[in-house]
């Protein structure tokens, strides 16, 4: 909305307002927090309401902020305070993409706010857990009841923890934090409550690794942390069967459709479950960790009660190996969310083409270790050949030809 106050200012009065706002903001753009040079950026600046007038914001200098015009006109929210928070998240995304070629997870968000630093010191007495948060400056002892899930038999307790004691578990939940977090940030910014608390776990048998690890609700936790919340409510399972939690999380995103896992994340969890079964097989048959002299079929026959699921995990492991191969050039052009809004291909299209046609769908009878060191293992060859094929597609169709600045949403209008 246009400002009546600004429209009445003379050029000298407007210049004085720009200088005053520049001083108040320590010479930085209100949204991007990047330095403003009053000479070089003179014609590239906007003055805008911090709180929009339509939301009750005043039309006077107390509610004005100085921004780069480009940032102000491309902002994701009309409220400049919210726009600044969303831009901070975008910076985290951009930095990780540039330097590590990945998307952020909850740990990345926590560390920007100096979280994820301390393990939990605790003891158990009379069906209660006692713990201290002394490393964060609070020496008092917290005592809270331990409850038991009646169906699974898992013990748990509730806690409101400083973010210094909260970590993300990227094994149980490898899902990254996507741009859709902006909706959650906006929701909490408007003062609407968090309806579901995060889920975590702690290993009480390993005091050297007694960290609270979040495996569910990381988007809600990340949104609140971005809004400078310093404590997170968590339901914490005590020494759970890690394999059971992985399987439950996997089924929640696949069979039960309770969690909005992208297919690529489901495949990654399936890959994790496959390797967990390999470890169990080795342990129960007293094999060395490097002994893979058994076949996929032998593995499935051993775990007879879950043969169908295990076959799926094996195929998921192959898919995941292709998807996450560092030499796979096509994946840069694949939207892992499955809808191809920003990139030309969806993950679903990859599954329906390359993976459906070129991955052998039956179990192998050759040992998993067969010719592994020579580089001619059947599954290894299968994955490398699919990657080569995908690279040909990338080189012929996308590399040097697809403009990420335009994306896919605007292709029709450009044509």
């Amino acid at each position: 909305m246009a400002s009546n106050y600004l429209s009445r200012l003379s050029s000298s009065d407007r210049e004085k307002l720009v200088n005053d706002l520049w001083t108040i903001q320590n010479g930085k753009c209100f949204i991007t927090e990047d330095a403003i040079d009053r000479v070089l950026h003179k014609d590239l600046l906007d003055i805008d309401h911090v709180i929009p007038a339509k939301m009750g914001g005043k039309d006077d200098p107390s509610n004005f902020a100085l921004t780069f015009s480009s940032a102000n006109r491309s902002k994701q929210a009309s409220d400049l305070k919210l726009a600044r928070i969303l831009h901070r998240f975008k910076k985290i995304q951009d930095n990780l993409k540039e330097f590590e070629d990945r998307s952020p997870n909850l740990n990345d968000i926590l560390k920007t706010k100096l979280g994820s630093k301390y393990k939990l010191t605790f003891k158990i007495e009379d069906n209660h857990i006692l713990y201290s948060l002394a490393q964060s400056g609070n020496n008092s002892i917290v005592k809270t009841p331990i409850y038991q899930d009646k169906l699974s038999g898992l013990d748990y307790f509730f806690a409101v923890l400083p973010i210094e004691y909260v970590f993300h578990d990227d094994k149980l939940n490898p899902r990254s934090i996507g741009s859709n977090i902006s909706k959650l940030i906006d929701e909490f910014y408007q003062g609407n409550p968090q309806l579901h608390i995060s889920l975590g776990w702690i290993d009480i048998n390993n005091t050297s690794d007694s960290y609270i690890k979040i495996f569910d609700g990381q988007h809600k936790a990340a949104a609140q942390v971005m809004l400078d919340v310093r404590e997170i409510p968590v339901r914490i399972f005590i020494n759970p069967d890690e394999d059971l939690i992985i399987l439950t999380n996997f089924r929640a995103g696949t069979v039960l459709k309770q969690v909005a896992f992208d297919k690529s994340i489901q495949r990654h969890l399936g890959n994790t479950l496959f390797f967990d079964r390999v470890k169990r097989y080795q342990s129960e048959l007293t094999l060395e960790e490097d002994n893979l002299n058994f076949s996929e079929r032998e593995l499935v026959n051993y775990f007879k009660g879950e043969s169908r699921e295990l076959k799926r995990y094996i195929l998921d492991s192959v898919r995941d190996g292709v998807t996450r191969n560092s030499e796979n050039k096509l994946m840069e052009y694949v939207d892992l969310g499955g809808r191809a809004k920003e990139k030309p291909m969806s993950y679903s299209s990859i599954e329906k083409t390359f993976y459906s046609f070129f991955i052998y769908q039956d179990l192998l009878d050759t040992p998993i270790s067969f010719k592994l060191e020579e580089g001619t293992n059947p599954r290894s060859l299968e994955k490398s050949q699919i990657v080569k094929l995908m690279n040909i597609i990338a080189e012929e169709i996308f590399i040097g030809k697809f403009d990420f600045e335009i994306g896919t949403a605007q292709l029709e209008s450009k044509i």
Side-chain angles (χ1 to χ4, degrees):
M1 183 180 291
S3 166
N4 292 328
Y5 181 92
L6 292 175
S7 65
R8 293 195 296 266
L9 292 181
S10 65
S11 58
S12 60
D13 287 338
R14 184 181 178 88
E15 185 175 352
K16 181 180 183 303
L17 179 58
V18 167
N19 290 334
D20 289 344
L21 292 173
W22 184 87
T23 301
I24 292 169
Q25 295 170 204
N26 296 315
K28 295 180 179 180
C29 169
F30 191 89
I31 296 174
T32 69
E33 300 173 282
D34 294 328
I36 293 174
D37 187 299
R38 284 178 291 179
V39 176
L40 298 177
H41 297 141
K42 181 178 180 181
D43 298 323
L44 304 173
L45 302 174
D46 280 356
I47 299 173
D48 200 358
H49 298 101
V50 175
I51 302 174
K54 64 182 179 182
M55 296 174 63
K58 295 180 180 180
D59 187 29
D60 65 41
S62 67
N63 188 40
F64 288 145
L66 188 65
T67 75
F68 287 117
S69 300
S70 57
N72 190 40
R73 292 166 194 178
S74 63
K75 63 183 184 290
Q76 299 179 54
S78 55
D79 185 306
L80 293 194
K81 290 182 180 178
L82 179 56
R84 178 166 58 191
I85 293 167
L86 296 179
H87 196 274
R88 286 173 182 168
F89 176 71
K90 186 176 185 303
K91 276 189 174 180
I92 296 171
Q93 275 187 312
D94 292 345
N95 286 337
L96 286 170
K97 181 63 179 175
E98 179 179 357
F99 296 108
E100 300 184 33
D101 194 27
R102 66 178 179 87
S103 298
N105 58 34
L106 177 57
N107 259 4
D108 297 310
I109 306 299
L110 287 164
K111 287 178 180 177
T112 64
K113 302 292 185 177
L114 302 180
S116 300
K117 294 198 294 188
Y118 307 131
K119 64 182 180 180
L120 192 70
T121 303
F122 66 93
K123 65 179 182 178
I124 292 177
E125 287 182 357
D126 301 325
N127 207 38
H128 283 73
I129 187 164
L130 288 76
Y131 60 89
S132 171
L133 306 173
Q135 288 169 297
S136 64
N138 182 355
N139 293 311
S140 60
I141 296 175
V142 180
K143 182 178 182 180
T144 188
I146 294 175
Y147 303 94
Q148 186 178 76
D149 186 283
K150 298 303 180 185
L151 296 177
S152 69
L154 295 180
D155 293 331
Y156 64 91
F157 66 99
F158 294 98
V160 179
L161 295 171
I163 62 172
E164 291 86 350
Y165 290 86
V166 177
F167 293 76
H168 172 59
D169 191 323
D170 59 0
K171 179 181 179 183
L172 268 65
N173 191 340
R175 191 179 179 195
S176 59
I177 305 295
S179 298
N180 58 348
I181 194 180
S182 60
K183 296 178 181 178
L184 271 176
I185 293 175
D186 189 9
E187 185 77 4
F188 295 145
Y189 183 78
Q190 302 302 330
N192 296 323
Q194 179 184 6
L195 298 180
H196 300 282
I197 67 172
S198 300
L199 302 180
W201 69 283
I202 187 171
D203 185 355
I204 64 172
N205 293 328
N206 186 356
T207 55
S208 64
D209 189 36
S210 56
Y211 296 95
I212 303 297
K213 300 174 184 177
I214 302 296
F215 65 86
D216 186 73
Q218 73 272 27
H219 279 73
K220 295 182 180 68
Q224 291 179 89
V225 172
M226 290 299 299
L227 289 165
D228 292 323
V229 169
R230 300 298 303 178
E231 295 182 325
I232 299 295
V234 189
R235 179 190 182 192
I236 304 162
F237 290 95
I238 301 172
N239 200 31
D241 179 344
E242 190 176 0
D243 186 63
L244 176 62
I245 298 296
I246 294 173
L247 180 60
T248 303
N249 221 20
F250 179 79
R251 290 178 62 82
T254 54
V255 179
L256 302 179
K257 308 295 184 186
Q258 292 176 324
V259 182
F261 279 150
D262 299 330
K263 279 190 176 180
S264 61
I265 296 299
Q266 294 174 14
R267 303 313 182 206
H268 188 59
L269 285 173
N271 174 63
T272 301
L273 288 165
F274 166 59
F275 281 103
D276 279 354
R277 294 302 182 276
V278 168
K279 289 180 181 177
R280 278 177 53 186
Y281 183 87
Q282 291 170 325
S283 175
E284 292 174 18
L285 272 68
T286 63
L287 303 176
E288 297 293 331
E289 286 188 9
D290 60 353
N291 186 342
L292 297 172
N293 193 30
F294 49 90
S295 69
E296 294 172 356
R297 193 173 302 280
E298 287 177 287
L299 195 66
V300 169
N301 288 339
Y302 182 80
F303 294 101
K304 290 181 179 178
E306 52 178 324
S307 57
R308 181 179 298 177
E309 292 86 352
L310 185 47
K311 181 180 177 182
R312 179 177 180 176
Y313 304 156
I314 291 168
L315 296 178
D316 280 350
S317 180
V318 179
R319 296 184 186 104
D320 191 61
V322 175
T323 301
R324 296 174 184 273
N325 188 306
S326 60
E327 297 181 1
N328 191 331
K329 299 175 184 178
L330 186 62
M331 295 313 296
E332 183 180 355
Y333 302 91
V334 177
D335 190 332
L336 295 180
R339 297 184 180 181
K341 287 186 175 181
E342 299 178 359
K343 298 183 179 182
M345 296 188 71
S346 69
Y347 180 82
S348 294
S349 66
I350 295 296
E351 288 226 328
K352 292 174 183 176
T353 53
F354 295 97
Y355 297 168
S356 293
F357 291 132
F358 301 115
I359 292 178
Y360 183 65
Q361 301 294 313
D362 205 350
L363 300 171
L364 298 184
D365 293 307
T366 53
I368 294 173
S369 59
F370 180 73
K371 294 190 175 181
L372 198 58
E373 294 183 358
E374 294 93 321
T376 55
N377 174 270
R379 287 298 189 192
S380 296
L381 279 174
E382 182 179 47
K383 288 183 280 190
S384 65
Q385 289 170 351
I386 294 174
V387 169
K388 287 179 181 178
L389 178 60
M390 293 173 79
N391 285 347
I392 292 172
I393 301 297
E395 290 163 357
E396 292 294 324
I397 300 176
F398 298 118
I399 296 175
K401 298 166 187 170
F402 180 79
D403 189 343
F404 284 99
E405 292 298 320
I406 297 174
T408 58
Q410 300 178 41
L411 282 180
E412 185 176 341
S413 61
K414 291 292 179 181
I415 293 171

